[in-house]
């Protein structure tokens, strides 16, 4: 069968899907009695017109790059990892343990240690669902969701009973030592006395996220392991005949996925709050699904989609601040993006494909 | 634990099991027809909101119930269009529906009632009232039986009895009628149903619609029966626990009842006992909280027998030409 050119599949289809999601989001805003154009203007102003807005947008984008990559790596092996939220929470425990109990002399070493801790803990949280899926056929979607709830209870227990310093009231760990504090964009890019990026949480972890994009690209498209993961995702039976062990690939893909999701907490826990708190993930694990779908599971696409969702999140926060529109509007927009780019993909693709086919025929004639 | 406490725990187990049971049966119809549905959670949530909102505005719980069913049916329609008509990924569609419900409910609640994303508290005729079964007071003096009848069997609202009656009804529909045979066949081997001249698409849409109605009842029960109003994310993972119960029950109605009762019991225990002292060791409340989810994972791991889902589940049907 004839197919569309690659560029149409990679750019045109998501563009139209996004447009549909935007139209429906506008209808939702109209439906609750607000003006969508004003709302959009406010979002742009709050997220992009000021350097602090950019600082927040990039901070959220950093989170979404990690969770987006996490979902994508699992997706390549046709594993649907909805557990990013729990893996990121447990990754945060890894960051906290590393930062509280090892005396780091300098932040540049601390960020390495924290990354390792986050990745290990995140991966550990993904290994049981992975093993159960591969060995016992329990559905990974449901087990990872269950692990999200279990992670939430576990984190609550650890923060209330174990990590909370004596005398403190709120469920949170002690603050990390001064030496581990990561430089934020204000420290890095603002000239002496400038107010650029002041008060915004974007920090050096953003570059770690960019590096993760490169590493994931190399891994998936330039190594044998990546090839195995992709062929396993394309056809499990074919991969089996080629001598690829389903157990091995499932576990490895989920370990990588969990590690990436866990590393998100380097940004939130070490980079922003500088201590472990209860609700630092803020749904980023789920946003990762939308980011991976929009970005077509490719690191470049994920980077762009993460920036878009970072903008939406920051813009939505501004909306909640200045208007009566609650923050949940962002959740609705994210859901619409997942719906149109993921589930209703064919709604756009089928007519486009037909269009391209008819053009192709004319040219031949 | 004395007898009365036991009865009270069992009583709240039943109350807590009912939304699970309704959602579980909803999933049963959908998945038996080959449409996986992880959007049960979202449908229940949307229904809970619509039921509470319309009950509050109209003053009648029955209008609320209808509105709840309507809201859930709308989301069902989206799922049906995405996964049947456009052959989309059913899991992704379910995730989108869950997120959509979680956001839209708060958004509309805020725009409508301006109470921080909740509905006003429901009172009187806006709520489901307990039904006292006949003879509840007459039997009171009979030891054990009287108390059991009065505390455990009688005094629930009507949806509890409806949900339980749905179990044999579902069994009958699924195994004793032509519709049931076709429904099961379309989840195992849609091509054979198609060959027999029955529309796969219509059957699957019917199943998805039944699923929507049952989720609607579940959500309405949650907001107007179990609690008095809607609060943000009030379903709290019940849709997923219902799915786990469905797998535990191996997609069969009677077993679904027992599975949901078990989960209801676990929830009742964790609500009643914040932390439990067991042989000198205190089990923390958070573990009790997580217990239903941990148990779900253990069940999913297949340590209680292997669960084989309907063979065509999750696969969009493409007619061969």
């Amino acid at each position: 069968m004839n197919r569309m050119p690659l560029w149409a599949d990679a750019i045109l289809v998501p563009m139209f899907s996004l447009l549909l999601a935007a139209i429906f989001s506008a209808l939702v805003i109209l439906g609750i009695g607000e003006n969508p154009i004003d709302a959009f203007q406010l979002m742009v102003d709050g997220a992009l017109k000021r350097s602090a807005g950019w600082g927040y947008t990039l901070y959220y984008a950093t989170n979404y790059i990690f969770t987006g990559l996490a979902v994508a790596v699992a997706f390549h092996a046709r594993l649907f990892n909805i557990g990013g939220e729990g893996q990121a929470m447990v990754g945060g425990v890894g960051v906290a343990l590393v930062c509280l109990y090892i005396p780091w002399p300098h932040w540049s070493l601390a960020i390495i240690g924290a990354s390792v801790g986050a990745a290990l803990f995140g991966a550990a949280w993904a290994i049981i669902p992975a093993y159960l899926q591969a060995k016992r056929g329990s559905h990974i979607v449901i087990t990872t969701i269950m692990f999200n709830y279990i992670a939430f209870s576990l984190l609550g227990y650890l923060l209330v009973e174990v990590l909370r310093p004596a005398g403190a009231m709120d469920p949170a760990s002690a603050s990390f030592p001064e030496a581990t504090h990561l430089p934020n964009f204000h420290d890095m890019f603002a000239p002496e006395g400038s107010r650029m990026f002041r008060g915004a949480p974007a920090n050096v972890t953003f570059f770690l996220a960019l590096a993760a994009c490169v590493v994931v690209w190399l891994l998936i498209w330039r190594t044998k392991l990546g090839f195995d993961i992709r062929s396993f995702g394309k056809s499990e039976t074919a991969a089996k005949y080629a001598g690829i062990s389903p157990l091995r690939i499932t576990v490895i893909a989920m370990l990588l996925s969990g590690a990436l999701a866990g590393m998100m907490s380097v940004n939130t826990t070490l980079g922003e709050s500088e201590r472990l708190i209860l609700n630092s993930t803020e749904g980023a694990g789920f946003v990762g699904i939308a980011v991976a779908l929009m970005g077509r599971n490719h690191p470049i696409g994920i980077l762009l989609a993460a920036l878009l969702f970072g903008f939406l999140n920051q813009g939505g926060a501004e909306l909640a601040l200045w208007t009566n529109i609650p923050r949940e509007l962002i959740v609705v927009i994210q859901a619409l993006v997942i719906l149109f780019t993921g589930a209703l993909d064919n709604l756009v693709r089928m007519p486009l494909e037909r269009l391209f086919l008819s053009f192709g025929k004319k040219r031949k004639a | 634990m004395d007898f009365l406490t036991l009865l009270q725990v069992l009583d709240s187990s039943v109350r807590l099991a009912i939304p699970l049971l309704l959602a579980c049966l909803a999933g049963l119809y959908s998945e038996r027809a080959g449409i996986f549905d992880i959007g049960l959670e979202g449908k229940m949530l949307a229904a809970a909101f619509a039921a509470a909102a319309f009950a509050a505005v109209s003053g009648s719980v029955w209008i609320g119930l209808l509105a709840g069913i309507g809201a859930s049916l709308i989301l069902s329609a989206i799922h049906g269009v995405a996964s049947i008509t456009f052959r989309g990924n059913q899991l992704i569609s379910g995730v989108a529906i869950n997120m959509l419900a979680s956001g839209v409910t708060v958004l509309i609640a805020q725009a409508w009632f301006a109470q921080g994303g909740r509905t006003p508290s429901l009172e009187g005729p806006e709520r489901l009232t307990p039904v006292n079964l006949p003879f509840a007071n007459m039997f009171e003096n009979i030891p054990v039986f009287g108390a059991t009848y009065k505390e455990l069997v009688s005094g629930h609202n009507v949806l509890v009895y409806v949900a339980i009656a749905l179990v044999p009804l579902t069994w009958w529909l699924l195994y004793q009628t032509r519709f049931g045979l076709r429904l099961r066949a379309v989840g195992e081997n849609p091509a054979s149903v198609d060959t027999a001249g029955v529309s796969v698409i219509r059957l699957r849409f019917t199943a998805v619609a039944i699923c929507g109605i049952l989720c609607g009842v579940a959500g309405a029960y949650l907001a107007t029966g179990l609690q008095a109003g809607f609060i943000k994310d009030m379903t709290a993972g019940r849709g997923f626990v219902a799915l786990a119960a469905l797998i535990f029950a191996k997609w069969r109605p009677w077993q679904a009842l027992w599975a949901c009762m078990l989960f209801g019991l676990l929830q009742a225990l964790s609500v009643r006992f914040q932390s439990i002292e067991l042989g000198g060791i205190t089990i923390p409340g958070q573990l009790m909280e997580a217990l239903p989810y941990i148990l779900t994972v253990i069940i999913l791991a297949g340590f209680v027998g292997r669960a084989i889902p309907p063979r065509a589940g999750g696969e969009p049907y493409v007619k061969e030409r």
Side-chain angles (χ1 to χ4, degrees), chain B residues 38-83:
Chain B
I38 57 171
L40 298 176
E41 176 88 1
K43 279 188 267 217
M44 261 203 280
L45 190 66
F49 167 70
F54 278 86
V57 170
S58 71
S60 157
V61 65
W62 304 113
I63 289 175
L65 176 66
L66 281 181
I69 292 174
S72 169
L73 273 175
I74 291 172
L75 292 183
S76 265
I78 295 176
H79 189 55
V81 168
S83 54

Side-chain angles (χ1 to χ4, degrees), chain B residues 191-224:
Chain B
S192 71
V193 178
D194 202 11
T195 313
V198 181
S199 165
V200 172
I201 290 178
R202 188 184 299 166
L203 260 174
R204 286 195 162 170
F205 264 110
T206 311
V208 168
I210 296 175
C211 170
I213 293 170
L214 293 181
C215 280
V217 179
Y221 171 86
L222 213 56
T224 64

Side-chain angles (χ1 to χ4, degrees), chain B residues 6-31:
Chain B
L6 177 74
L7 275 185
Q8 280 166 354
V9 168
L10 288 179
D11 184 59
S12 57
S13 305
V14 172
R15 282 175 213 279
L16 289 165
I18 293 305
L20 296 178
L21 178 61
L22 285 163
C24 187
L25 291 174
L28 184 89
Y29 283 99
S30 182
E31 302 209 345

Side-chain angles (χ1 to χ4, degrees), chain B residues 45-211:
Chain B
L45 190 66
F49 167 70
F54 278 86
V57 170
S58 71
S60 157
V61 65
W62 304 113
I63 289 175
L65 176 66
L66 281 181
I69 292 174
S72 169
L73 273 175
I74 291 172
L75 292 183
S76 265
I78 295 176
H79 189 55
V81 168
S83 54
I84 304 170
T85 311
F86 286 106
R87 302 198 290 268
N89 186 321
Q90 298 170 9
L91 297 173
I92 294 175
S93 166
V95 170
I97 282 169
N98 287 335
M99 285 180 79
L100 193 62
S102 141
V104 158
T105 48
V106 177
L107 218 56
I108 301 179
Q110 179 61 22
W112 199 346
F113 301 105
Q115 294 188 4
R118 52 169 67 215
T119 62
S121 297
L122 304 177
E123 284 162 8
E126 300 159 8
R127 286 197 71 194
L128 291 165
T129 41
V131 180
N132 278 315
L133 292 187
F135 314 121
N137 291 325
M138 224 166 88
F139 290 157
E140 204 167 2
N141 295 326
I142 307 172
V144 182
F145 174 75
T148 310
Y149 187 75
K150 190 173 180 207
E151 289 285 327
L152 187 59
V153 181
S154 174
H156 294 289
N157 66 55
V158 63
L159 290 186
V160 174
Y161 303 109
V162 168
I164 291 171
L166 275 170
V167 174
L169 183 71
T170 301
W171 175 85
W172 176 78
L173 203 62
L174 225 50
Y175 296 102
Q176 304 292 314
T177 67
R178 193 168 63 173
F179 169 74
L181 180 69
R182 287 174 174 172
L183 189 84
R184 284 182 293 136
V186 86
E188 297 288 341
N189 189 349
S192 71
V193 178
D194 202 11
T195 313
V198 181
S199 165
V200 172
I201 290 178
R202 188 184 299 166
L203 260 174
R204 286 195 162 170
F205 264 110
T206 311
V208 168
I210 296 175
C211 170

Side-chain angles (χ1 to χ4, degrees), chain A residues 90-219:
Chain A
V90 177
V93 176
V95 172
L97 294 181
V98 163
C99 292
L100 287 172
Y101 296 109
I102 301 178
W104 299 99
H106 190 256
W107 67 264
S108 55
L109 293 173
I111 194 173
I112 297 172
S115 303
V116 172
L120 283 179
F121 273 64
W125 204 244
I127 194 169
I128 302 172
Y131 180 82
L132 291 178
Q133 156 91 27
K135 203 73 183 168
R136 309 204 59 108
S138 9
H139 211 298
I140 203 154
V141 169
I142 303 186
T143 43
T144 48
I145 290 170
M146 294 297 137
F147 268 70
N148 286 342
Y149 288 105
I150 299 172
F152 188 74
S153 293
L154 176 72
L155 191 65
Y157 173 73
L158 287 176
L159 287 181
V160 172
E161 308 283 344
V162 184
L163 289 174
R164 185 172 55 160
M169 288 306 286
D170 53 337
S173 78
S175 291
F176 300 155
E178 188 80 31
T180 66
H181 292 184
L182 299 182
N184 57 30
F185 276 18
H186 178 65
D187 305 331
M188 289 157 74
F189 299 122
E192 202 63 41
S194 148
R195 299 163 57 94
M196 210 158 78
F197 287 119
R198 209 168 66 171
N203 60 71
V204 66
T205 318
F206 179 67
F207 299 101
L208 190 67
L210 293 182
C213 285
V214 177
V215 171
V216 167
W217 181 78
L218 284 173
L219 180 93

Side-chain angles (χ1 to χ4, degrees), chain B residues 197-288:
Chain B
V198 181
S199 165
V200 172
I201 290 178
R202 188 184 299 166
L203 260 174
R204 286 195 162 170
F205 264 110
T206 311
V208 168
I210 296 175
C211 170
I213 293 170
L214 293 181
C215 280
V217 179
Y221 171 86
L222 213 56
T224 64
L226 204 59
Q227 289 171 38
F230 170 86
I231 52 168
K232 185 185 171 196
D233 288 329
M234 71 184 295
T235 42
R238 282 187 174 90
F240 299 115
V241 176
L243 272 183
L246 184 60
I247 297 167
F248 192 16
K250 297 180 185 151
W251 295 268
R252 292 173 300 185
W254 283 106
Q255 285 81 352
L257 174 66
W258 307 129
C260 291
M261 287 296 171
L262 175 68
F263 282 121
L265 177 69
L266 281 179
Q267 273 191 348
L269 285 175
S270 76
V271 171
R272 193 174 178 97
F273 305 101
Q274 287 301 315
S275 58
I276 291 182
E277 202 81 44
L278 248 184
I281 306 161
T282 321
I283 300 172
Q286 288 93 348
L287 184 65
M288 291 300 294

